[in-house]
Amino acid sequence: MISPAYCRKMAQYNRWQNDGLRTLVAGLSESDLHLDRKAFFGSISATMNHLLWGDIIWLHRMGAGDPPSVPVAEHTRITADKVAWDELRDATDTRITQWARSLTDDDLARDLTWRSALNQSDMVNPMADCAVHFFNHQTHHRGQIHAMMTAAGQAPDATDLLFMP
């Protein structure tokens, strides 16, 4: 289905997209970031924090570090402000890159088992499917953030993978 090379490419894409987002975030006020924009998680900040929390929990599940510092009920508030978000986003993107570089075909062929905090059940899925979900989740929520940023008067960079430097 997928390969370690795919995961490395998607980690590179994730970093590229988040670096562009980090530049946009720096130019917005905290009130702009927290404004309810009627998106699924409400604000740009809440959506960015949801995505960041999700990345950290998936890295933890896949054996690449500690779990998030806050429980699932607080996932949209994992960081208090844009400076804290920027720092944790950068560190998490580094973890994602390191995880992807370490993957083998055998890793992707095994099952991943974890306890879901959302539905309070044990889960077992192929690691390859979990990795695809991991990267798809990032792209999905960055799309929401892109739309909110555009509505906030920002001009996000291209998001097409084929334009990645």
Side-chain angles (χ1 to χ4, degrees), residues 23-43:
T23 299
L24 292 176
V25 166
L28 287 175
S29 69
E30 288 291 342
S31 61
D32 283 337
L33 290 170
H34 292 279
L35 181 67
D36 185 355
R37 298 182 185 276
K38 309 300 182 211
F40 188 81
F41 294 106
S43 68

